[in-house]
Amino acid sequence: MHDVTIIGGGPAGLFSAFYSGLRNMKTKIIESHPFLGGKVHVYPEKIVWDVGGLPAVTGQQLIDHLVKQGTTFDPDIVLGEKVTSIEKIDGTFKLTTHNGQVHWSQSVIVAVGGGIIEPKKLDVKGAEKFEVSNLHYTVPSFQRFAGKRVVISGGSHSAIDWANELAPIAERVHLVYRREELKGHEASIDLLIEQGVELNEQSAIEALTANEAGTEISQVTLTHPEHGVRMLDVDEVIISHGFNRDASLLDQSPIPLERVDDFFIKGSAQSASSVSGLFAAGDILHHEGKLHLIAGAFQDAANAVNLAKQYIDPEASARAMVSSHNERMDEYNKKWKEEQLVSS
Ligand SMILES: Cc1cc2nc3c(=O)[nH]c(=O)nc-3n(C[C@H](O)[C@H](O)[C@H](O)COP(=O)(O)OP(=O)(O)OC[C@H]3O[C@@H](n4cnc5c(N)ncnc54)[C@H](O)[C@@H]3O)c2cc1C
C-alpha cells in the first residue's frame, strides 16, 4: 500500500514524486510509456526558456533534470503500464492497468496531461523495422542529420520548423506533404524557399526501399496525382504526421469525478478534485487561474502533495518546510556535497 500513487510521469508527476518524497510519503509513479518525461518528449530539440531557475535548456535536458529531481527519494516507478481504471473501495484507491495489474493506494494524484500520446506512424508496409535505424518520429538532435539527404514527411508547423533547422546543415532537405499549399507562418515558408528546401506538394511516401543489408532505408518512393511516381535517394527519413491521443482513463473510471469540457478534472486552486483523496496536477487540472505550462504544473504538484499528506495524516502540517529547513534533507545534502566533490 502506497501513501500516494501518481498516474503519469511527465513534469507534473515527476515534481509530485519529488515533493512527496520531501514529505516522507511512500510514493509510486505509474507511467504508460517505457520512459519518463511526458509530453516534453515531443520536443526534445526545442529550446525551453520559461522554466523558473533553469536558463535555456533543450527539451531533452529538461527531461534529464526532471527525472533526476523526481527520483531523488527513490519512488517506486512502474513503466509501460497504462492505468485503465480508478476505483475507490472502502476508502482505498484501486488502480487497474491494461495488463490486469492492480495497485492499491491511500491517495492518488492524477497527472496524465492530455492523455497518452503516440506519433502517428507511417502507413507503409514494413516501415517499423527501420525505426531502430533511419526512420524517425522525432528529432532528438539536429547534428545527426549534418551532411545527410533528409526527407521530411508532413505539412505541420513541426515539419516546417524541422526542415528550416536542418536545411543549413543537411546536404539536402525534401519536404513531402499532401496538400497543395503549406499551412504555416509566412516567414517560415519564405525561409524554406530561401534555404533551398525542395518542396514536394500533393505528394506522399508510398514505399520504402532498403539498402543491401536490409537495415536502413536507402530510397523512398513518392507519388503525385499528376506527375506519378518518383524515387529519392535518402540517408534519413523523418515523419511528422501528428499524434494519436488516448485519454480514456477518466471516462472509464467508476468514480464521481467532476469534469470541465468533458475532459479536464474540475479542481480547486489547491489541486483537490470532487473525489476526496484524489488530487490532480498539470495539464489535466482545470481551475480559474490555472497556468497550462510546466511552471504551473509545479505549483499544482506541491499543492496536490500537501493535500494528499493531510488526507492520509490529518495531523500533518498543511505545507512542507522549505527544503533547506527540512530535517529529511540533511542526509541528501551530505550525499549531494560528496557528489560535487567527486565531480570537481
Ligand atoms: C510542442 C510543445 C511545446 C511546448 N513548449 C513548452 C514550453 O516551452 N514551456 C512550457 O512551460 N510548456 C511547454 N509545453 C507544454 C508542456 O509540455 C506541458 O504543459 C507539460 O508537459 C504538462 O505536463 P504534465 O505532466 O501535466 O503532462 P504530460 O507532459 O502530458 O505528461 C503526462 C504523462 O502521463 C502519462 N499518462 C497519460 N495517461 C496515462 C495512463 N492512463 N496511465 C499511465 N500513464 C498515463 C503520459 O504517457 C505522459 O507521460 C509545450 C507543449 C508542446 C506540445
Side-chain angles (χ1 to χ4, degrees), residues 34-226:
F35 45 78
L36 296 167
K39 207 182 291 150
V40 187
H41 281 284
V42 171
Y43 49 97
E45 84 298 346
K46 188 185 118 141
I47 312 289
V48 180
W49 291 87
D50 56 351
V51 175
L54 278 182
V57 284
T58 64
Q60 185 57 54
Q61 287 168 327
L62 177 61
I63 291 171
D64 295 343
H65 287 303
L66 285 164
V67 172
K68 188 161 188 215
Q69 185 180 44
T71 54
T72 304
F73 300 106
D74 297 321
D76 289 324
I77 299 176
V78 178
L79 294 176
E81 276 190 34
K82 168 183 153 184
V83 179
T84 50
S85 160
I86 309 171
E87 291 166 81
K88 196 173 176 188
I89 300 172
D90 297 333
T92 301
F93 288 94
K94 178 186 178 192
L95 309 181
T96 309
T97 64
H98 74 286
N99 51 3
Q101 295 292 318
V102 171
H103 303 263
W104 294 95
S105 191
Q106 295 205 59
S107 66
V108 170
I109 297 178
V110 179
V112 295
I116 303 161
I117 54 173
E118 303 272 2
K120 287 186 185 160
K121 297 291 173 101
L122 177 66
D123 189 15
V124 165
K125 201 166 167 234
E128 62 288 347
K129 73 170 185 248
F130 301 112
E131 287 177 24
V132 292
S133 54
N134 61 346
L135 179 65
H136 312 274
Y137 289 95
T138 186
V139 176
S141 123
F142 291 126
Q143 221 34 53
R144 176 192 172 108
F145 301 90
K148 306 265 186 79
R149 295 162 299 175
V150 184
V151 168
I152 302 175
S153 175
S156 65
H157 288 287
S158 300
I160 294 170
D161 289 348
W162 283 340
N164 274 326
E165 294 279 1
L166 293 178
I169 56 168
E171 183 188 316
R172 187 109 187 98
V173 178
H174 301 264
L175 189 59
V176 177
Y177 48 97
R178 284 188 185 275
R179 285 191 297 258
E180 264 180 73
E181 283 179 12
L182 275 172
K183 279 193 182 150
H185 298 303
E186 248 170 45
S188 306
I189 296 173
D190 288 349
L191 188 60
L192 288 175
I193 296 161
E194 205 177 289
Q195 298 200 99
V197 171
E198 190 184 305
L199 303 180
N200 298 270
E201 85 287 346
Q202 290 184 272
S203 301
I205 297 179
E206 197 187 68
L208 303 172
T209 307
N211 60 3
E212 260 183 51
T215 52
E216 292 196 346
I217 303 164
S218 60
Q219 273 191 330
V220 297
T221 306
L222 302 186
T223 51
H224 184 283
E226 285 156 30

Side-chain angles (χ1 to χ4, degrees), residues 118-119 230 233 281 298:
E118 303 272 2
R230 180 176 170 213
D233 292 336
F298 295 160

